[in-house]
Amino acid sequence: MRTLLLLPCLTLTLAAQDAVPVQAPITSVKLYPDEAWVTRVGRVQAAAGTRRYRIEGLPGGLTLDDVQVSAKGPAGSRLGDVSISQQEVDATETPEWKRIQADLDALGDRQDQLESRIEAAHQEIAFLESLKAAQAQAVDAKLATAPPSFAPIAAFSQGMQGRLTQLLTEERRAKRELAKAGEEQKGLEADQASLSAGDAKGSTEVLVDLSASAPGPLQIQLNYRTRKAHWSPAYEARLSEDRNRLELTLLAAVTQESGEDWNGVHMEISNARPSRSLVMQRYAGPQTLSLAPVTTVIGNLSRVDATSSTQGLDTSVDAIRSVPTGRDFGSLAFLAPGAAPSEPEEAGAPSAAILEASGLNLDFRLDGTLDVPSDADPHRFKLMAQTLKPDLALVTTPRLDAEVYQVARFQDPGGLPIFAGAPLVQYAGDQRLGQSPLATPATGQPYQLGFGPYRGLRVTFRRVDHTQETVGAFTKERQWTYRERAELSSELAVPVDVEVQDRVLKSGVDAVKVNDLPDTTPGAKEALPGVRSWTVHVEPSKTASVTIATQVRGPLEGRIAGLDEPQ
């Protein structure tokens, strides 16, 4: 009975007491791909007994699932209930409002200065115009009595006109800046109006019950989740001026609009996904088989199986439709008369999620303390870097682009996580060359980064000869023969080797045959799947070339899809 009486008394005691406010500034943040966990630490002198402590001013909308609380206090202290409540906060008291108001105040001062400049210029222009008129009257009066000296009059007029031109230019410039400031003011006022919609903004208050066996220092640590903050990977590749070293740097682009500025915090970055579902897929029961017409695929052909009903279908042609993979890899396919290429599948929307690099969960703890304002803009921080020794090459794809590019190739940089598709900015020394997504190579291939066109080399690509004819003694077929040539002209003072790449032309069906002719430049290697390359030595002020001679043979009827030739 005593225990049963004690619990209501404890509840009444806590309800009667005012919660002790605890100042708990943000000390650290751990960022994930789609959320962040913020840590606040508050310290207070605890009294013996059970007390309730309050941490307020947290972002609105937090639930108990978003909050974790721990405490350290005198020996024997026990953490009790944790509860949260939502409060209404005047929008004018939020950090966002105050920051916008400060921007508006600074903008107002700038507008006042511009208006003062315009008014001063206007007054001086009016004064000079009146002085100019008075001078003209004085000249007219002197002309009535004696001819004046024109040299000082011309000097005076020239100086007057120069000053008027200067004033008019300054006035117009100030008016343009004032108009621009007005547009900026409208934008800030719109942001402020959005914040003050409803004239209130929610905040969360966390209440913690703690029993202390004796008075002493108490530390309360509060962790809470915000889904208005995340990070994404980015890279910088910097090629040294002597072209001997390549520094590859992994950066974290941190974006947050939680409503709280993170000032002087310790930051940790992780590519784990703590909010992901861990529910494992399970079988609902047995899989039942049934007999129905089955659609099979032959190459890129879709047709109904011979074992199914063929009523109304023309099954006389094995390969009815096929789609060329595009000019880059040159796949040829035979289309029967009247057949049309199928529509390409729509590319899926790119995922915003960060994939686990090399299948690992990675954590990075950044050095020192950092600041990240709640401005929804990305702020980049260096995570790690690795210095590589690249293999430099000159590469051209003349069928696609009449430029020779300098590329740096390197093997997998072990120890540096690779996030495929992350933005990569390339530098040569301190010069920014451009940006591209980081692409991972095929298995066994090196990474390759481009560092811009290589000046002093010119590339042309042209079709030298092409014929179309009907061949065959008994079975008539169409045959296309064409010769193409890539030419490289050097304006350099030193010899260079250039890698010339071209797509492999191949057939996707048995009815179409593709053969290289003997006058094709020998020595081609398959640098990438579907891509062959020649290494061409170009002497100073000379021209070198690669010849590609190909023969394609196919049926008289139908069209060869993927062949760059009218049919």
Side-chain angles (χ1 to χ4, degrees):
M1 287 298 294
R2 290 183 180 179
T3 303
L4 293 175
L5 290 174
L6 177 61
L7 291 176
C9 292
L10 176 60
T11 303
L12 290 174
T13 302
L14 289 177
Q17 290 178 336
D18 290 331
V20 177
V22 178
Q23 297 297 323
I26 298 174
T27 59
S28 62
V29 176
K30 187 166 185 177
L31 281 142
Y32 298 96
D34 52 3
E35 65 185 33
W37 281 85
V38 180
T39 299
R40 289 176 176 262
V41 176
R43 294 175 175 83
V44 68
Q45 193 68 21
T50 302
R51 299 293 303 272
R52 174 166 290 175
Y53 299 90
R54 180 178 71 247
I55 302 175
E56 58 187 1
L58 307 175
L62 295 181
T63 66
L64 283 175
D65 290 337
D66 301 319
V67 174
Q68 298 173 353
V69 179
S70 61
K72 295 180 181 179
S77 299
R78 292 182 295 108
L79 185 65
D81 291 339
V82 176
S83 60
I84 63 173
S85 63
Q86 304 296 327
Q87 295 181 327
E88 295 293 330
V89 176
D90 187 351
T92 60
E93 297 300 321
T94 61
E96 299 100 317
W97 178 285
K98 292 179 179 179
R99 182 172 55 253
I100 293 174
Q101 188 60 50
D103 292 343
L104 281 171
D105 292 342
L107 188 60
D109 293 339
R110 183 180 163 205
Q111 289 172 315
D112 291 342
Q113 293 175 1
L114 290 171
E115 289 174 352
S116 298
R117 283 171 50 190
I118 293 171
E119 181 62 26
H122 184 70
Q123 290 178 359
E124 187 174 352
I125 290 171
F127 171 75
L128 292 177
E129 291 289 355
S130 63
L131 187 60
K132 186 177 179 182
Q135 193 258 356
Q137 291 178 358
V139 171
D140 290 341
K142 288 184 179 181
L143 284 173
T145 58
S149 175
F150 287 101
I153 295 175
F156 176 82
S157 297
Q158 185 177 4
M160 180 80 69
Q161 191 60 40
R163 179 57 181 165
L164 283 171
T165 301
Q166 183 182 4
L167 288 170
L168 288 171
T169 302
E170 291 179 358
E171 183 182 26
R172 293 191 185 102
R173 184 183 297 114
K175 286 181 178 179
R176 287 196 300 268
E177 292 180 8
L178 187 61
K180 185 178 179 181
E183 293 299 322
E184 188 176 347
Q185 180 183 7
K186 290 180 182 179
L188 290 172
E189 288 174 345
D191 292 341
Q192 205 171 56
S194 177
L195 286 176
S196 61
D199 198 31
K201 186 172 183 179
S203 71
T204 302
E205 178 182 79
V206 174
L207 300 172
V208 181
D209 295 341
L210 192 136
S211 298
S213 57
L218 171 65
Q219 175 181 297
I220 300 177
Q221 178 172 309
L222 170 64
N223 299 319
Y224 57 92
R225 171 171 53 194
T226 174
R227 289 187 168 88
K228 294 185 177 181
H230 65 275
W231 80 282
S232 58
Y235 291 88
E236 285 184 359
R238 194 176 298 270
L239 189 64
S240 63
E241 294 184 359
D242 59 8
R243 302 297 195 264
N244 288 329
R245 290 174 291 105
L246 176 68
E247 184 179 68
L248 189 60
T249 303
L250 172 60
L251 306 167
V254 177
T255 304
Q256 70 107 345
E257 48 181 338
S258 64
E260 301 178 308
D261 290 336
W262 301 340
N263 296 322
V265 301
H266 296 279
M267 191 176 299
E268 191 173 351
I269 302 290
S270 175
N271 73 320
R273 307 184 67 82
S275 297
R276 81 173 95 191
S277 173
L278 297 180
V279 177
M280 190 178 110
Q281 296 295 320
R282 300 187 180 188
Y283 291 106
Q287 181 173 337
T288 304
L289 303 179
S290 62
L291 183 62
V294 180
T295 299
T296 61
V297 176
I298 302 177
N300 287 334
L301 156 73
S302 295
R303 72 172 187 180
V304 177
D305 243 358
T307 57
S308 306
S309 173
T310 59
Q311 183 176 0
L313 295 179
D314 180 6
T315 59
S316 60
V317 180
D318 286 340
I320 295 188
R321 66 170 61 179
S322 181
V323 181
T325 60
R327 191 173 180 185
D328 290 352
F329 295 94
S331 175
L332 301 181
F334 172 67
L335 301 184
S342 61
E343 294 295 328
E345 297 182 359
E346 292 187 6
S351 173
I354 299 176
L355 300 179
E356 295 177 355
S358 306
L360 301 175
N361 284 340
L362 303 169
D363 291 336
F364 304 93
R365 187 178 297 276
L366 279 67
D367 295 334
T369 58
L370 305 168
D371 298 337
V372 183
S374 177
D375 56 6
D377 291 330
H379 301 267
R380 289 190 172 187
F381 302 96
K382 181 177 179 180
L383 296 182
M384 61 188 305
Q386 188 165 346
T387 300
L388 310 168
K389 186 169 180 60
D391 294 325
L392 297 183
L394 299 179
V395 180
T396 182
T397 54
R399 188 183 298 273
L400 305 177
D401 190 355
E403 292 278 5
V404 176
Y405 292 90
Q406 181 171 257
V407 301
R409 292 169 174 157
F410 55 92
Q411 298 301 318
D412 189 348
L416 184 71
I418 296 298
F419 297 96
L424 170 71
V425 180
Q426 286 119 294
Y427 294 85
D430 294 328
Q431 181 182 3
R432 189 183 193 275
L433 300 178
Q435 178 174 320
S436 61
L438 179 62
T440 54
T443 303
Q445 297 293 329
Y447 286 82
Q448 178 172 296
L449 301 180
F451 286 89
Y454 194 80
R455 303 304 177 191
L457 289 170
R458 291 185 292 110
V459 182
T460 59
F461 185 84
R462 59 192 178 92
R463 180 166 290 184
V464 178
D465 180 37
H466 68 280
T467 60
Q468 178 180 342
E469 54 189 334
T470 301
V471 297
F474 300 102
T475 303
K476 298 296 185 181
E477 293 181 305
R478 289 176 297 169
Q479 178 175 285
W480 293 265
T481 303
Y482 52 93
R483 291 170 177 81
E484 298 165 313
R485 184 168 297 150
E487 294 184 344
L488 296 94
S489 300
S490 174
E491 299 174 357
L492 304 172
V494 294
V496 292
D497 290 333
V498 180
E499 183 178 314
V500 179
Q501 293 185 353
D502 192 47
R503 85 284 188 273
V504 173
L505 193 64
K506 65 179 182 179
S507 173
V509 292
D510 292 339
V512 178
K513 307 294 183 183
V514 179
N515 295 298
D516 281 336
L517 298 179
D519 45 346
T520 296
T521 299
K525 299 179 180 179
E526 191 162 350
L528 297 168
V531 179
R532 58 181 173 177
S533 66
W534 294 262
T535 300
V536 179
H537 185 76
V538 187
E539 291 289 339
S541 302
K542 299 291 184 180
T543 299
S545 65
V546 169
T547 299
I548 305 168
T550 309
Q551 191 174 80
V552 178
R553 181 177 291 189
L556 283 177
E557 300 296 328
R559 187 173 68 86
I560 308 297
L563 183 63
D564 296 334
E565 190 77 31
Q567 301 174 52

